[in-house]
Amino acid sequence: MIEFLLIDLDDTILDFHKAERIGLENTLRHYGVEPTEETIALYLQINAAHWRALEQGQMTRKQVNEGRFETLFRQLGGEVDGAECAAYYLSQLALTHDYLPGAEEAVKALSKKYRLFVASNGNSVVQFPRLEQSGLNNYIEKAFISEALGENKPSKAYFDLCFSLIPGFDPDKAMMVGDSLTSDIQGGINAGIPTCWVNTFKKVNNTSIRPDHEIESLGQLEALLENL
């Protein structure tokens, strides 16, 4: 029987696509760049590559935060102070904290039956304000933000730290829930706990990573758990 749920934050509970879009548009305009669809697509490509490097231990968080903007502006034919640009972007990103459809209701219902924990690879300056402003802190026991812990998903070290900070934790009664195969699902596998892939955007899994369960929204998790 599952008792402990470690749930990813972005694009599992909160709408990160919306927050990212708003934060990026504000940042580009702040630096005199029109946020066209082509420019946004280029940023998303660069950003995804940087985050994959972080997950694989090939980059530091500082290199991700600053390097993605330095690379973007370089490819646009200009340059930018990576640290300054990253700080401005993160300040804008922290302003938006909308739930995905049905996610708040799902978390509220789950909190009455399970012990909930947020497990996020995000930046502390972004995630902690969003947890507070969204009211999500009312439903969870603790948020494990990788920057604050000093380890990142999907490393076993990250999950070992999380587990050590949960009173009475039992890995046989835990599950990792999230939208990212490479971060959340691989992380749960590395940690030796069952996983549930929240495939909101109906992606095709072309990887070798195999979640134990798959749902399309967090609202389906309670029924899944009841039938285990």
Side-chain angles (χ1 to χ4, degrees):
M1 178 179 176
I2 299 298
E3 179 181 346
F4 307 89
L5 291 174
L6 285 85
I7 309 178
D8 175 56
L9 184 62
D10 289 322
D11 286 336
T12 300
I13 300 175
L14 298 186
D15 189 340
F16 182 74
H17 277 65
K18 180 177 181 179
E20 182 180 44
R21 178 85 184 207
I22 293 172
L24 182 58
E25 288 181 349
N26 290 348
T27 301
L28 290 173
R29 290 195 178 102
H30 180 77
Y31 284 92
V33 175
E34 183 62 27
T36 64
E37 291 302 320
E38 292 77 12
T39 299
I40 290 173
L42 177 59
Y43 167 81
L44 293 176
Q45 179 183 359
I46 293 168
N47 183 58
H50 278 65
W51 278 101
R52 282 195 300 271
L54 178 74
E55 291 172 4
Q56 296 165 6
Q58 298 170 353
M59 276 189 177
T60 65
R61 183 173 299 272
K62 184 175 187 294
Q63 289 172 325
V64 171
N65 286 338
E66 300 177 11
R68 54 188 172 177
F69 288 106
E70 292 169 349
T71 301
L72 173 66
F73 277 82
R74 186 164 56 249
Q75 292 194 25
L76 293 174
E79 61 180 65
V80 71
D81 182 309
E84 180 187 275
C85 188
Y88 186 85
Y89 169 70
L90 293 177
S91 73
Q92 299 302 299
L93 190 60
L95 298 177
T96 306
H97 46 79
D98 297 277
Y99 284 88
L100 288 167
E104 182 174 16
E105 295 79 2
V107 171
K108 184 176 181 180
L110 289 166
S111 69
K112 297 176 181 178
K113 298 180 179 181
Y114 306 94
R115 296 176 63 182
L116 306 187
F117 304 86
V118 160
S120 170
N121 256 358
N123 295 284
S124 298
V125 70
V126 174
Q127 303 300 53
F128 285 124
R130 294 173 78 224
L131 287 166
E132 181 65 31
Q133 294 159 12
S134 66
L136 191 54
N137 280 338
N138 296 324
Y139 308 123
I140 65 171
E141 285 191 35
K142 189 174 180 62
F144 300 115
I145 310 301
S146 60
E147 183 180 25
L149 289 182
E151 298 288 349
N152 302 302
K153 295 183 294 184
S155 73
K156 185 176 184 298
Y158 169 87
F159 286 92
D160 286 343
L161 275 171
C162 294
F163 298 165
S164 72
L165 295 170
I166 300 175
F169 180 75
D170 183 347
D172 292 330
K173 298 180 179 180
M175 177 181 285
M176 178 66 213
V177 181
D179 71 297
S180 171
L181 289 168
T182 57
S183 176
D184 303 317
I185 305 309
Q186 186 61 57
I189 292 170
N190 292 344
I193 61 175
T195 59
C196 180
W197 184 29
V198 184
N199 190 10
T200 303
F201 303 102
K202 301 180 181 179
K203 299 177 182 177
V204 176
N205 183 1
N206 292 319
T207 76
S208 61
I209 302 169
R210 293 289 176 258
D212 296 295
H213 309 281
E214 179 178 341
I215 55 179
E216 292 184 2
S217 72
L218 206 58
Q220 298 174 351
L221 182 58
E222 186 176 6
L224 183 150
L225 292 171
E226 289 176 351
N227 290 312
L228 291 181

